[in-house]
Amino acid sequence: MPHPERPYNRGHYIRLLLNVGDLCIVNIIFFIALVAFGIANINMEGQGSRVLWLLVNVSYLPMISWTLGRRHAYRAITLDTVVRTSFAEGLTHALVFLSLNAFLHVGLAGRFYIFYYALLFCSLAVFRVLANYMLKAYRRRGFNFTKVAIVGTNATAERLYASMRTDAGFGYRILGFFEDTQETTFCGTDVFSIDKLEAFVVEKQIRQIFFTLSGQSEALARVIKIADDHVVDFYYVPQIPRTLSRKFELHTIGPLPVLSIRHNPLKNVFNRIVKRIFDIVVSGLFLCLYPLIYIPVAIAIKLSSPGPVYFKQERTGYRGKTFMCYKFRTMRMNNNADKMQATQNDPRKTRVGDFLRRTSIDELPQFINVFRGEMSIVGPRPHMLIHTKDYTRLVDMYMVRHSVKPGITGWAQVNGYRGQTDELWKMERRVEHDVWYIEHWSLLLDLKIMVRTVLNAIQGEKNAF
């Protein structure tokens, strides 16, 4: 049941509140940092802390300009985008503030700024997440909505309609559909002739028009003119089939826009650097404690059966290149290790090996591969070479999973797709989850997968054998 009509043009007030909130956090955290370091009453050439207070606030101005242009799509913003934007805001402030400090020869010790910006990044992210949650709750109560008209009643229009209605927190109020032909299979209500669009825009105070018809349609120019004449936001929605329903990247060849259907955030150099730094830090810290795990496990393996402590096997890695993957040996020495996957009651497993597999301890040596740069902590699991050869022919998008570094754990594994792939559909589901991870990568997603991996290991997994 639709909400009663309420004032909806509050977007500029909300953006103002968000900016005021940012500015308050910048100043509050700066004060907290001064107090924490016992320098709230510092005196620099008689000017005191007023110079730094002024620079802190002046440095916020570029921070506003960086973010204002990106807040136009704040309605359907995702959590990871909120956090990335917060980090970018803080980084922008840091670059400007530290540059002004250096230019004016003022400032404090380096550890002060490390403390300040670490706290600022976290505070901005928390504020943004809470603000986004409260804003969506506010919209669900019928406030801050934007009135929308959709031109077209085709499959693209229906998908757009369904996406907008997925979450009332987006605040889209769809008031009507418009078609340039009388022949339509659209089963919804409020379908009008496109000739009535202009009068409808004026009467209903439409703020956004979404055009879903073909770009060659004669209606396109008419609708754009209506939007321009009445200062309405116009959005063109391309007719992309469901088989290509994923994130896209927009490029240009001369004046012609082209869409890349394979979105991979890790193509971005900054994202790759962030992921690599995270891998080095985590794997480095783990390897410092590694002897505490290695020594008892090595003794148990040696006592369980003759052979080396490590099982080394060539696996398919980044961009299809092979690398030597390390694991604790869990089986007796055999000639089928490079051909056969482990099964639930595999006679090749030792009693110690069975325990190592069920608890995923056998995978821990792969932190060595991570530190060396051959693997990442999170990513698609590396497969045996024979599997790469076979499944490349049998499973669509199989090699796409090698467009990032393989991981110790991954999105497929925490969703139950690990262990033996004795049926083709199991590998297909695994590949689908791996490709989804690649196209939706974020550092927050990596952290989520790591936490779920630890919880699964504690609880025990039925497919870990």
Side-chain angles (χ1 to χ4, degrees), residues 192-425:
F192 307 97
S193 168
I194 204 167
D195 294 329
K196 299 180 179 179
L197 176 60
E198 185 166 16
F200 190 88
V201 166
V202 174
E203 179 186 351
K204 299 295 185 180
Q205 296 182 308
I206 297 297
R207 300 298 303 277
Q208 295 181 353
I209 297 175
F210 291 83
F211 189 92
T212 67
L213 301 176
S214 168
Q216 301 300 322
S217 170
E218 295 180 359
L220 179 59
R222 292 171 56 195
V223 175
I224 291 177
K225 186 175 189 312
I226 291 172
D228 290 343
D229 289 346
H230 298 280
V231 198
V232 174
D233 294 332
F234 176 88
Y235 297 94
Y236 178 76
V237 185
Q239 297 187 44
I240 297 172
R242 288 183 182 274
T243 53
L244 299 181
S245 293
R246 52 170 60 94
K247 290 185 177 181
F248 293 89
E249 290 181 343
L250 179 65
H251 307 278
T252 57
I253 300 177
L256 184 67
V258 295
L259 294 175
S260 170
I261 68 168
R262 192 72 63 194
H263 175 72
N264 183 354
L266 288 172
K267 284 185 178 180
N268 183 287
V269 175
F270 177 77
N271 289 340
R272 290 204 304 272
I273 291 173
V274 169
K275 187 170 175 65
R276 182 60 186 145
I277 290 174
F278 181 77
D279 285 341
I280 291 174
V281 171
V282 175
S283 62
L285 291 173
F286 175 82
L287 292 176
C288 290
L289 303 174
Y290 185 58
L292 300 176
I293 299 173
Y294 175 81
I295 293 174
V297 172
I299 293 173
I301 292 174
K302 283 292 188 180
L303 293 175
S304 67
S305 67
V309 173
Y310 286 133
F311 169 68
K312 303 176 185 179
Q313 185 181 63
E314 283 192 325
R315 299 279 180 101
T316 307
Y318 181 57
R319 294 191 174 276
K321 296 179 180 178
T322 60
F323 72 101
M324 194 63 69
C325 183
Y326 290 86
K327 296 181 69 174
F328 283 126
R329 183 172 61 85
T330 59
M331 295 185 176
R332 297 176 181 85
M333 301 298 293
N334 66 90
N335 296 324
N336 296 320
D338 293 331
K339 304 174 185 177
M340 294 176 54
Q341 287 181 308
T343 58
Q344 187 166 8
N345 299 308
D346 201 314
R348 297 174 296 169
K349 291 189 294 185
T350 63
R351 293 179 62 183
V352 171
D354 188 59
F355 169 77
L356 296 179
R357 283 178 173 273
R358 283 188 286 106
T359 57
S360 298
I361 293 176
D362 64 318
E363 310 284 0
L364 295 182
Q366 287 163 32
F367 277 98
I368 299 173
N369 294 116
V370 173
F371 194 77
R372 289 165 53 168
E374 298 160 334
M375 292 179 63
S376 181
I377 293 174
V378 180
R381 287 292 297 152
H383 291 166
M384 293 188 292
L385 301 187
I386 191 171
H387 280 170
T388 301
K389 180 180 178 182
D390 292 341
Y391 285 119
T392 299
R393 294 183 291 103
L394 298 173
V395 180
D396 291 341
M397 300 189 296
Y398 181 82
M399 287 305 295
V400 174
R401 65 195 302 278
H402 299 99
S403 59
V404 298
K405 291 180 181 179
I408 298 176
T409 184
W411 183 241
Q413 283 64 45
V414 299
N415 282 282
Y417 296 103
R418 61 168 295 175
Q420 188 180 12
T421 52
D422 52 339
E423 298 179 66
L424 185 61
W425 70 267

Side-chain angles (χ1 to χ4, degrees), residues 9-26:
N9 189 19
R10 305 293 188 203
H12 55 291
Y13 294 121
I14 291 173
R15 285 190 289 270
L16 177 61
L17 286 174
L18 290 174
N19 285 317
V20 170
D22 284 344
L23 184 60
C24 289
I25 289 175
V26 166

Side-chain angles (χ1 to χ4, degrees), residues 71-102:
R71 286 185 181 161
H72 64 281
Y74 64 97
R75 288 190 174 274
I77 196 169
T78 58
L79 182 61
D80 60 316
T81 303
V82 171
V83 175
R84 284 201 305 270
T85 301
S86 302
F87 180 82
E89 290 179 7
L91 184 60
T92 302
H93 186 277
L95 291 173
V96 176
F97 184 49
L98 295 178
S99 297
L100 290 174
N101 277 212

